[in-house]
Amino acid sequence: MRYLLVEDNRELADAILGRLALDGHAVDHAASLSEAEEWLATAGYDLILLDVMLPDGDGRDFLARSRAHLETPVIMLTARSQVSDRVGALDMGADDYITKPFDFSELEARCRAVLRRRGGAARNQVALGQALFDPLAGTLSHAGRTVELRNRELRLLEVFARHPGQILSKTQLMDRLFAQDADVTENAIEVYVGRLRRRIDGMGVRIETVRGLGYRMETGGP
C-alpha cells in the first residue's frame, strides 16, 4: 500500500512513518496542505492520513474541496474529541476519524478497516491459483499452511494481486513499493520479484517476465 501522511508535527510524523514502514508500506510525508497538493498531483495513493490543523489551513476544508475529484479514502487525525468535530469531518468526506493521542495498533486497525470497506469485502481475500491471499491481514495460505512473507514481498504480491494479467513496469512497481524520496534503483524490484517467485512456487500462480516491458502475474500454471 502507498499512503500519504499530512502532518506538521515532525515527531509524530516520524513515529507514524516508522511504524507504517515496518509493515512494508510506502509512505510520503507532507507537512502542509500545499505540500499535500503537490504529492497528490504527482502520485496515486491507497490511503491518506490527514491532520486537521495545519500551518496553511484546515484539513477538513481541504478535504471538502478535494472530494469532487479525490476518491482516495481519508482518515482524519486530530486532537479534537468533540462529537460535533467527528461528525463534521465525516460529513465533509472523511472515511474515519482518530483522536490524538492514539495507539499505533489502533491506527493500523483503522487503516485496514477503511481499506476493507473501500474494497467492498468483509475480509478482502483473493484467490491466487491454489493459494488464498489476504492483503489486509497480511497472510498467504496454501495447502493448509500459512506461508511467511516479508513485508516488502507481501506488498509486492498485493500489487500483482490487484492487477491480475496486467503488465507492470519496474517503474510502476517502484512507485507502489517505495516512497518518492527512497534511495533505491530498479535492481531492487528484480531482487524482490525473485524472492516472491520462490515463495509462490508450486501454488498455481506465477510471475512472468515480459521482456522490455516488466512483469505480469498469471494463474493456472504449475
Side-chain angles (χ1 to χ4, degrees), residues 129-207:
Q130 302 156 12
L132 190 63
F133 177 50
D134 190 330
L136 296 179
T139 58
L140 177 67
S141 303
H142 176 250
R145 67 185 182 90
T146 299
V147 180
E148 295 294 332
L149 295 177
R150 295 182 178 180
N151 287 331
R152 201 73 72 179
E153 297 164 355
L154 174 65
R155 300 309 166 198
L156 180 59
L157 180 59
E158 182 178 3
V159 175
F160 281 120
R162 289 176 177 271
H163 302 88
Q166 180 179 332
I167 297 173
L168 299 172
S169 69
K170 291 180 181 179
T171 299
Q172 288 175 308
L173 294 174
M174 287 181 66
D175 182 64
R176 304 313 298 171
L177 292 180
F178 302 101
Q180 288 198 15
D181 58 356
D183 184 18
V184 294
T185 68
E186 291 185 352
N187 290 337
I189 296 299
E190 297 177 7
V191 171
Y192 286 117
V193 168
R195 290 178 181 174
L196 184 57
R197 279 173 168 157
R198 291 191 291 273
R199 300 284 193 188
I200 64 176
D201 184 46
M203 296 184 184
V205 59
R206 63 193 183 279
I207 301 172

Side-chain angles (χ1 to χ4, degrees), residues 18-85:
R19 183 61 177 256
L20 295 176
L22 287 175
D23 288 336
H25 298 294
V27 189
D28 293 319
H29 173 230
S32 66
L33 295 176
S34 59
E35 288 183 24
E37 290 175 342
E38 292 175 2
W39 283 118
L40 290 169
T42 59
Y45 295 96
D46 299 294
L47 180 66
I48 298 172
L49 302 175
L50 178 62
D51 190 18
V52 169
M53 300 304 295
L54 290 154
D56 53 350
D58 190 309
R60 294 168 301 181
D61 294 337
F62 170 79
L63 178 58
R65 294 193 306 269
S66 303
R67 264 308 180 214
H69 60 272
L70 182 68
E71 298 182 357
T72 307
V74 175
I75 297 178
M76 303 297 298
L77 312 175
T78 181
R80 298 178 176 180
S81 59
Q82 295 295 321
V83 172
S84 58
D85 292 322

